[in-house]
Amino acid sequence: MSNDLNLRRVRGNNEAEAPVQTRANTIVKEADHATPLELSNITIRYGGGKNGSDAVSVVDGFDLTLSAGEMHCVAGRSGSGKTSILTVGAGLTLPTSGRVLWEGDSLETMSDDEIADRRRALIGYVDQGGALIDGMSALENVLLPAVPDGEVEQRREMAKDLLDLVGLGRRMRHRPEQLSGGERQRVAIARALILGTRVLVVDEPTASLDRASANRIISILKDTTSDGIAVLVASHDHELVRLSDTLTELI
């Protein structure tokens, strides 16, 4: 895939940097912080409590500084804590201890509503398999994040362009059951980008895909980093591991 997502930067007469626009007509705000996501001394434990069972430590003392335009891969065997790290980084769950910082601001200082609002503006999350809504077209699935703000019509052309960019412009009317696994994953990535994401968090994007489909997904993820988008991905795909800028291997 060609680098279709590259940003075009324009300076006005006053030399102040103007808003940045992609070929998908999505206005992308310049990064407010060079490290949009930072995880500091993260520990994640499950279990324990009134029944007397011991808590199981899944992640212990994990650190990550994710820079804008960087793809970091968290690799490791099944059950090593990859998905737990992604959901904590995306603010979907809270760690047992440690700090999660979004553009330098700690989630510890935010209410649940504030975390939800910041997540919508900052993070696009793609879980394993894409989790599209059955009965809705690819285009309707991409537009779902725009529903709460009442911006479906305003972002309809953006959604079409994003589907073009992931190679599915001719299949935007197809429902999930009419798409292959790789196509569903590409729809999910387009959906995650519709609100001008700064951090794309993707869980096992190439699992169960054939090599050609997996390579296309990897190419799309790499292309997004050229926009200054940071990508945090969990995978054991050797090709994705190889092409990531930085890597954490969990034991």
Side-chain angles (χ1 to χ4, degrees):
M1 179 178 175
S2 62
N3 199 6
D4 289 331
L5 287 173
N6 277 346
L7 297 181
R8 176 169 50 84
R9 288 173 172 77
V10 181
R11 292 187 181 274
N13 293 332
N14 61 359
E15 291 300 307
E17 195 160 279
V20 177
Q21 188 173 25
T22 69
R23 283 184 53 190
N25 298 321
T26 303
I27 300 301
V28 180
K29 184 180 176 184
E30 282 289 350
D32 290 335
H33 204 280
T35 54
L37 175 62
E38 185 176 355
L39 305 178
S40 177
N41 198 29
I42 296 295
T43 295
I44 304 170
R45 296 191 181 97
Y46 296 114
K50 295 180 180 179
N51 61 4
S53 62
D54 293 331
V56 176
S57 181
V58 178
V59 176
D60 192 15
F62 181 83
D63 294 304
L64 171 65
T65 299
L66 186 62
S67 300
E70 175 185 57
M71 183 161 75
H72 183 91
C73 181
V74 181
R77 58 177 174 76
S78 178
S80 61
K82 300 189 302 295
T83 297
S84 296
I85 288 170
L86 264 58
T87 57
V88 164
L92 298 172
T93 58
L94 295 176
T96 305
S97 63
R99 299 178 71 205
V100 180
L101 293 95
W102 288 347
E103 296 185 323
D105 297 326
S106 175
L107 269 60
E108 293 175 318
T109 66
M110 303 180 199
S111 67
D112 290 345
D113 287 343
E114 288 172 327
I115 290 173
D117 288 343
R118 286 288 295 272
R119 184 191 304 115
R120 280 177 53 75
L122 180 72
I123 291 174
Y125 186 81
V126 183
D127 62 10
Q128 189 171 346
L132 302 184
I133 304 300
D134 292 335
M136 299 180 71
S137 69
L139 179 62
E140 289 168 335
N141 268 281
V142 172
L143 284 165
L144 274 176
V147 171
D149 295 332
E151 296 184 354
V152 171
E153 290 309 312
Q154 295 94 315
R155 294 188 181 268
R156 187 172 296 276
E157 291 306 312
M158 300 178 193
K160 291 178 181 179
D161 287 345
L162 282 169
L163 284 168
D164 280 336
L165 290 172
V166 298
L168 293 174
R170 295 184 178 181
R171 298 179 70 77
M172 65 178 64
R173 303 297 176 189
H174 287 63
R175 295 185 298 277
E177 62 269 24
Q178 298 171 304
L179 300 172
S180 69
E183 289 171 335
R184 290 194 295 271
Q185 199 71 14
R186 282 186 271 157
V187 172
I189 291 171
R191 180 179 62 191
L193 295 170
I194 191 67
L195 296 182
T197 295
R198 315 260 186 87
V199 181
L200 184 61
V201 181
V202 192
D203 191 10
E204 296 282 5
T206 63
S208 303
L209 299 183
D210 62 82
R211 190 67 260 165
S213 297
N215 286 344
R216 184 153 197 179
I217 295 295
I218 295 168
S219 178
I220 291 169
L221 294 179
K222 286 294 290 183
D223 282 351
T224 63
T225 64
S226 297
D227 280 353
I229 295 171
V231 176
L232 176 61
V233 59
S235 181
H236 56 267
D237 185 313
H238 295 300
E239 186 66 9
L240 202 159
V241 168
R242 184 180 71 83
L243 291 173
S244 293
D245 299 300
T246 54
L247 171 69
T248 299
E249 292 186 272
L250 302 179
I251 299 174

